[in-house]
């Protein structure tokens, strides 16, 4: 008889009870192969997009059982590929039902204030695009992408976090980065710990007064939104953080110094080059950043002066034409080769040569 879910679950529980510690997936493989006779059906290769992977079916089935047990609250995996029994901790427990109310309220505020945040590892920038009764739509700035965080996903994540004792590894509350990043940022009692490798419960003193926070959150509760602003500064992508320092916190074209409307703009698109070096960046006001990305504003590689598209004449942007960008405080200049490459891609520049 081939290995079914019931047999695989029995083997998982056997080994966890024997080890009494977090156990690697590879150890479950070894245990099953030593205890059970594998049939031809068990050994059939799994397929991915129509191609055989070479991995026997029973191993994939075992991982599926582990995930099912996780969803049922029977197991936790506090780091990648390691599993153990739950260890709930009443001191860090969070109410799943109230969590959605908190997250939705803060998402509405983040949408209104156009607040963005960065992922824990790669510094991708995210923001709220839309808030509905049962879901929040998250958008990634560059390259553009969207993800939807649902009330069910939030509930399952908090139940799982409670089962794990209030601390889990990255990519365990949700395997989609945009969703997990939004969950951590928008929940006032969660934050990244251990250099962004784990998620933990924070603000335990406020957590004890959840009822007050939930009731007040829709109306401007100062404490909660102060937490979110601090988390935003902490999660701010390193690329923008460096540019804020280098350009003295001011848009290098307009001189505006309001951090909330400033973006770290890549000269050569990050999606193409993956380069976060500060010389591949400019600190720009949001609207100027969009015009720069759309090819309606350019920087002359030789003079470092602004050139505007003819369609922007007789607009507020005409005042920036032929204006030199601000100098960096470290004396360095933007990468000339990248500016030249961008310059050559804009066919209209023959009409506006400095």
């Amino acid at each position: 008889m081939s290995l079914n879910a019931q047999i695989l679950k029995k083997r998982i529980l056997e080994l966890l009870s024997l080890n009494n510690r977090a156990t690697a997936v590879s150890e479950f493989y070894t245990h099953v192969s030593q205890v059970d006779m594998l049939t031809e059906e068990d050994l059939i290769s799994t397929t991915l997009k129509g191609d055989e992977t070479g991995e026997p079916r029973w191993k994939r089935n075992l991982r599926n059982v582990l995930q099912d047990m996780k969803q049922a609250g029977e197991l936790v995996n506090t780091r990648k590929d390691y599993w153990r029994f739950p260890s709930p901790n009443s001191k860090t427990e969070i109410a799943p039902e109230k969590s959605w109310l908190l997250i939705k309220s803060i998402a509405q505020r983040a949408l209104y204030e156009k607040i963005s945040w960065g992922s824990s590892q790669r510094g991708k920038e995210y923001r709220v695009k839309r808030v509905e009764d049962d879901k929040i739509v998250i958008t990634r700035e560059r390259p553009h992408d969207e993800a939807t965080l649902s009330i069910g996903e939030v509930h399952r994540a908090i139940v799982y976090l409670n089962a794990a004792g209030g601390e889990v590894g990255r990519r365990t509350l949700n395997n989609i980065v945009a969703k997990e990043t939004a969950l951590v940022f928008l929940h006032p009692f969660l934050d990244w710990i251990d250099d962004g490798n784990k998620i933990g419960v924070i603000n335990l003193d406020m957590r004890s007064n959840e009822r007050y926070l939930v009731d007040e959150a829709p109306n401007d509760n100062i404490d909660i939104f102060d937490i979110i602003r601090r988390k935003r500064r902490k999660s701010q992508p390193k690329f923008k953080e460096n540019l804020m320092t280098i350009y003295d916190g001011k848009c290098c074209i307009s001189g505006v110094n309001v951090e909330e409307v400033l973006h770290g703009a890549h000269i050569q698109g990050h999606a193409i080059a993956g380069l976060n070096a500060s010389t591949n960046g400019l600190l720009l006001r949001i609207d100027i950043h969009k015009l720069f990305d759309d090819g309606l504003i350019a920087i002359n590689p030789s003079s470092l002066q602004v050139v505007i598209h003819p369609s922007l004449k007789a607009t507020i942007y005409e005042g920036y034409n032929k204006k030199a960008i601000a100098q960096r405080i470290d004396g360095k200049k933007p990468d000339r080769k990248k500016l030249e490459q961008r310059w050559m891609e804009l066919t209209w520049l023959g009409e506006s040569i400095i």
Side-chain angles (χ1 to χ4, degrees):
M1 183 178 69
S2 61
L3 298 175
N4 57 34
Q6 185 177 359
I7 295 173
L8 291 172
K9 181 176 180 178
K10 180 179 179 181
R11 299 296 176 245
I12 290 168
L13 294 174
E14 283 175 355
L15 188 59
L16 284 173
S17 298
L18 181 64
N19 288 348
N20 196 29
R21 59 170 172 78
T23 299
V25 171
S26 59
E27 295 180 74
F28 292 119
Y29 294 160
T30 300
H31 180 65
V32 171
S33 62
Q34 290 176 343
V35 173
D36 295 289
M37 291 289 294
L38 301 175
T39 66
E40 289 185 7
E41 185 177 351
D42 292 323
L43 297 174
I44 294 174
S45 175
T46 56
T47 59
L48 181 64
K49 296 181 179 179
D51 298 324
E52 291 190 359
T53 65
E55 179 185 58
R57 180 183 296 176
W58 73 269
K59 289 188 176 182
R60 182 195 60 187
N61 292 344
L62 185 143
R63 293 197 302 274
N64 288 340
V65 172
L66 287 169
Q67 290 294 336
D68 289 342
M69 294 176 72
K70 173 182 174 178
Q71 294 295 330
E74 298 175 286
L75 293 181
V76 297
N77 68 308
T78 51
R79 58 191 173 111
K80 183 176 174 59
D81 293 334
Y82 278 80
W83 297 80
R84 63 172 174 79
F85 287 122
S87 56
N89 182 348
S90 60
K91 293 181 179 180
T92 61
E93 188 172 346
I94 298 174
E97 297 80 8
K98 293 180 179 179
S99 289
W100 175 251
L101 296 178
L102 282 167
I103 287 175
K104 189 173 77 167
S105 296
I106 293 169
Q108 289 169 336
R109 181 64 173 268
L111 176 63
Y112 176 77
E113 295 191 4
K114 296 181 172 60
I115 293 174
S116 62
W117 62 90
S119 57
S120 67
Q121 295 289 319
R122 302 186 64 184
K124 299 288 187 181
E125 193 169 0
Y126 299 90
R127 65 176 65 245
V128 176
K129 180 178 180 180
R130 188 170 68 255
V131 180
E132 301 181 14
D133 287 342
D134 59 352
K135 63 185 177 183
I136 299 167
V137 179
I138 309 300
T139 182
R140 184 177 63 196
E141 295 292 287
R142 289 172 179 79
H144 180 75
D145 198 9
E146 289 185 5
T148 300
L149 181 66
S150 70
I151 182 173
E153 288 174 307
V154 170
H155 187 278
R156 288 192 295 272
I158 300 304
V159 168
Y160 174 67
L161 180 65
N162 288 337
E167 183 177 305
V168 294
R170 181 168 54 93
R171 302 291 291 276
T172 56
L173 293 186
N174 198 301
N175 62 2
I176 297 176
V177 175
K179 294 184 181 185
E180 186 173 72
T181 299
L183 175 63
V184 175
F185 179 78
L186 295 172
H187 200 304
F189 305 139
L190 301 183
D191 207 350
W192 298 103
I193 58 177
D194 191 22
D195 294 326
N197 290 308
K198 294 181 179 179
I199 299 165
V201 176
I202 61 168
N203 301 311
L204 296 180
D205 53 334
M206 295 183 67
R207 184 188 60 83
S208 64
N209 200 10
E210 278 182 310
R211 182 177 183 278
Y212 165 74
L213 291 170
V214 172
D215 291 342
E216 294 296 323
N219 299 313
D220 293 344
N221 182 280
I222 299 300
D223 291 336
I224 277 193
F225 293 116
D226 279 349
I227 290 172
I228 296 304
R229 289 191 179 95
R230 288 198 299 270
K231 287 168 74 173
R232 177 183 181 275
R233 288 193 291 271
K234 180 180 176 182
S235 70
Q236 179 175 263
K238 191 69 176 176
F239 180 67
K240 178 183 174 181
E241 183 182 331
N242 290 340
L243 292 173
M244 286 289 293
T245 300
I246 289 165
Y247 285 103
D248 196 26
K250 300 173 185 175
C251 168
C252 66
I253 291 178
S254 70
V256 167
N257 63 352
V258 181
E259 181 180 342
E260 284 72 16
V261 300
L262 297 178
H263 275 183
H266 289 86
I267 297 171
Q268 186 176 22
H270 184 269
I272 300 172
L275 295 175
N276 274 324
S278 68
T279 52
N280 185 40
L282 300 167
L283 189 65
L284 299 177
R285 197 174 67 203
I286 291 174
D287 56 325
I288 296 176
H289 185 186
K290 186 176 188 309
L291 292 171
F292 182 75
D293 279 357
D294 291 345
L296 298 178
I297 285 181
I299 308 295
N300 187 299
S302 300
S303 65
L304 296 181
Q305 290 181 321
V306 177
V307 183
I308 67 166
H309 189 274
S311 66
L312 295 180
K313 290 182 179 180
T315 70
I316 60 172
Y317 301 103
E318 187 171 16
Y320 301 131
N321 197 41
K322 297 189 179 182
K323 176 182 178 181
I325 66 172
Q327 293 185 358
R328 297 164 49 122
I329 64 172
D330 62 357
K332 295 181 181 180
K333 295 183 179 181
D335 191 306
R336 176 164 180 157
K337 289 185 177 180
K338 290 182 174 56
L339 285 173
E340 287 176 348
Q341 181 177 350
R342 192 178 188 94
W343 184 271
M344 295 298 292
E345 292 171 354
L346 302 177
T347 58
W348 60 266
L349 281 168
E351 305 171 35
S352 305
I353 300 174
I354 295 177

